Amino acid sequence: MALIVQKFGGTSVADIDKIKNVAQKAIREKKAGNKVVVVLSAMAGETDRLIALAHKAADSPDPREYDSLISTGEQVTVTLLSIVLNSMGHPARSFLGFQVKILTDKAYKKARIVSIDTEEIKKELKKGRIVVVAGFQGVDDDNNITTLGRGGSDTSAVALAAALKADQCDIYTDVDGVYTTDPNVCDKARRLDKISYDEMLEMAMTGAKVLQPRSVEMAKKYNVPVYVKSTFSEEGGTLVTKEDKDMEKEVVSGITYDRDQAKITVVHVPDKPGIAAALFTPLSEQNISVDMIIQNASLEGHTDLTFTVSKKDLKDAQKIVNSAAKKIGAKKVEVDDDVAKISIIGVGMASHSGVAATMFKTLADEGINIMMISTSEIKISCVIQRKYTELAVTVLHNAFGLEKKK
Ligand code: ADP
Ligand code: ASP
Ligand code: MG
């Protein structure tokens, strides 16, 4: 008897018929003799609707109440699925984060899971019930409801799989696996049978939203085999696992994009020690992650500092940066949220020259201006104008021959 965690995303539970389809998938695993834990997202669009309501209610909604509010979409789907399963004669029980208890830290909107109490779930499984757990939510040690960041039910599922020592974690979604790039943006995208944790992590971190980055981090740490599968078709599938010999060792194996980026430039900053710290320390204290950073060459003792933050952090970041900029004597702060980050990923990149040049030339040939560049051993990212996102993905996919490789 195996223990299987199945996670279904928003489009997979968008209405009652789809929830009935999810029930069939859980029942199938149960009938095959497995113990089944199902993790659900909210219905497609529901979390966005709740977020919009919070921002209609107040400019800066109180974070505790905000998390409590946006976690409610999952309560609807887990209870509906349990109702459906029970009515079909398959005993099931739903659990919210605090009922499990999925303990997190106190970072509202992007809480990290600290521990999961598996006792209650194990008891239910022993009784032969299907256990249905609300994704995306947890509780801190003061009993406040927290959420795990957008796309966080992936992380709930992998964390539960790790804590329960599950044999497998199946992530069911609206595409039939992980592709060389977003198949909804580039029709030449190719599905991968297998991808290593490291490459998947890099793809997730640079924008491929098929898996939340933390879910991949966790899968790697606890060695959880993750299968990305389609809810709507039996075909395909991608296994995310440890790197092995028969995995593709391409120079470039994937292209990603991230439209959730905003660029902030602090203009004419005195070029002296402590300036970067004065800007970035208050941002990190407010839990705002800074992604790419560039500092221009100094001219007559002054320089410009440009960096990117997630769009959802922009308002808060702007306040902090405006105040820090005054203190350090910068001339002004400029913001551009009409940008996107395009990245190419590949473990083989470090040992090959000319990859960056190919990327830059490909973009230049299309008249796409590069505003910022950052590189790591297995990725190169460029910030460009947002309107060129799809074009950039498509021409880079072609330039690196990703559709052809078998
Ligand atoms: P869910 O609601 O099931 O969690 P998401 O919308 O979060 O689904 O993630 C699935 C989406 O991820 C797909 O519809 C696809 O557009 C997008 N995506 C982006 N990059 C990739 C990729 N490389 N491979 C597969 N899907 C991708
Ligand atoms: N419902 C949450 C979101 O929309 C969590 C998830 O879908 O994974 O971000
Ligand atoms: Mg998702």
Side-chain angles (χ1 to χ4, degrees):
M1 184 184 267
L3 199 167
I4 296 181
V5 174
Q6 301 180 306
K7 179 258 168 176
F8 296 87
T11 45
S12 312
V13 291
D15 56 39
I16 297 292
D17 281 341
K18 295 208 168 99
I19 291 177
K20 287 184 176 165
N21 173 50
V22 166
Q24 293 297 353
K25 293 215 181 285
I27 292 167
R28 188 171 66 184
E29 290 298 357
K30 184 81 204 307
K31 281 189 173 162
N34 300 311
K35 291 181 174 169
V36 184
V37 175
V38 182
V39 176
L40 297 184
S41 291
M43 289 182 177
E46 179 61 7
T47 311
D48 287 339
R49 189 184 74 85
L50 294 166
I51 289 174
L53 277 178
H55 287 288
K56 223 171 164 184
D59 270 352
S60 299
D62 177 81
R64 177 184 185 274
E65 306 310 323
Y66 178 95
D67 266 18
S68 234
L69 171 69
I70 71 167
S71 72
T72 57
E74 275 72 10
Q75 181 163 358
V76 173
T77 51
V78 292
T79 45
L80 283 173
L81 178 63
S82 298
I83 289 172
V84 167
L85 284 166
N86 282 309
S87 76
M88 291 168 82
H90 294 274
R93 238 184 204 191
S94 70
F95 285 86
L96 299 179
F98 79 89
Q99 290 174 307
V100 170
K101 155 167 192 170
I102 299 179
L103 183 71
T104 71
D105 63 17
K106 294 180 184 304
Y108 293 120
K109 299 186 199 179
K110 42 183 140 184
R112 275 182 178 271
I113 296 174
V114 174
S115 65
I116 296 183
D117 185 347
T118 54
E119 199 177 323
E120 211 47 44
I121 295 181
K122 282 183 180 156
K123 256 194 234 163
E124 296 296 333
L125 291 171
K126 228 180 189 166
K127 288 182 195 155
R129 289 191 174 124
I130 295 174
V131 174
V132 187
V133 181
F136 182 51
Q137 54 176 267
V139 63
D140 71 10
D141 56 11
D142 285 321
N143 267 337
N144 300 302
I145 291 171
T146 53
T147 62
L148 310 179
R150 298 307 305 269
S153 345
D154 298 329
T155 304
S156 310
V158 176
L160 275 161
L164 290 161
K165 300 196 171 50
D167 298 275
Q168 186 172 319
C169 181
D170 293 341
I171 305 282
Y172 285 92
T173 183
D174 57 0
V175 286
D176 66 353
V178 179
Y179 280 69
T180 47
T181 192
D182 186 346
N184 289 321
V185 161
C186 174
D187 56 10
K188 299 268 171 55
R190 185 172 48 89
R191 187 180 56 77
L192 303 162
D193 288 329
K194 267 190 197 180
I195 184 170
S196 69
Y197 292 126
D198 288 331
E199 270 179 326
M200 188 64 241
L201 184 59
E202 207 68 48
M203 285 189 68
M205 289 207 304
T206 52
K209 67 175 181 151
V210 61
L211 288 175
Q212 201 200 31
R214 277 185 195 166
S215 71
V216 188
E217 252 169 42
M218 185 124 21
K220 182 181 175 187
K221 186 167 171 193
Y222 296 101
N223 208 6
V224 179
V226 173
Y227 288 88
V228 178
K229 299 179 177 179
S230 165
T231 308
F232 308 107
S233 137
E234 297 293 321
E235 308 295 312
T238 299
L239 172 61
V240 188
T241 183
K242 269 193 284 203
E243 194 173 328
D244 66 31
K245 290 194 301 301
D246 51 293
M247 251 173 214
E248 299 182 12
K249 292 247 172 16
E250 307 298 352
V251 177
V252 172
S253 54
I255 317 281
T256 56
Y257 64 90
D258 184 356
R259 294 193 184 106
D260 175 41
Q261 293 269 311
K263 184 163 75 76
I264 301 179
T265 304
V266 187
V267 181
H268 205 68
V269 190
D271 190 11
K272 59 182 189 199
I275 292 297
L279 274 173
F280 297 126
T281 309
L283 286 170
S284 77
E285 279 167 359
Q286 292 307 310
N287 232 326
I288 296 174
S289 310
V290 170
D291 184 11
M292 292 162 88
I293 304 175
I294 51 171
Q295 184 174 347
N296 290 352
S298 173
L299 206 71
E300 290 164 7
H302 285 81
T303 179
D304 293 345
L305 245 162
T306 305
F307 55 93
T308 57
V309 295
S310 168
K311 242 184 202 160
K312 66 179 185 321
D313 289 332
L314 180 59
K315 256 192 184 166
D316 294 338
Q318 240 177 313
K319 272 190 214 151
I320 296 167
V321 173
N322 280 335
S323 132
K326 265 195 204 128
K327 281 187 203 148
I328 57 179
K331 205 182 223 169
K332 59 177 175 182
V333 177
E334 286 171 351
V335 167
D336 182 359
D337 64 359
D338 199 23
V339 297
K341 181 174 74 174
I342 307 292
S343 308
I344 61 174
I345 319 291
V347 283
M349 204 179 277
S351 51
H352 281 77
S353 58
V355 180
T358 304
M359 181 179 194
F360 304 153
K361 183 167 185 314
T362 305
L363 295 176
D365 286 349
E366 298 297 327
I368 301 172
N369 185 39
I370 300 172
M371 303 172 184
M372 299 172 83
I373 300 168
S374 83
T375 62
S376 80
E377 284 216 328
I378 66 168
K379 109 182 157 211
I380 305 172
S381 302
C382 294
V383 173
I384 62 170
Q385 248 184 304
R386 195 182 150 95
K387 66 177 180 189
Y388 292 123
T389 308
E390 295 185 7
L391 176 63
V393 167
T394 306
V395 292
L396 289 170
H397 197 267
N398 187 36
F400 289 103
L402 286 175
E403 75 277 19
K404 291 191 217 93
K405 287 167 191 162
K406 280 273 143 53

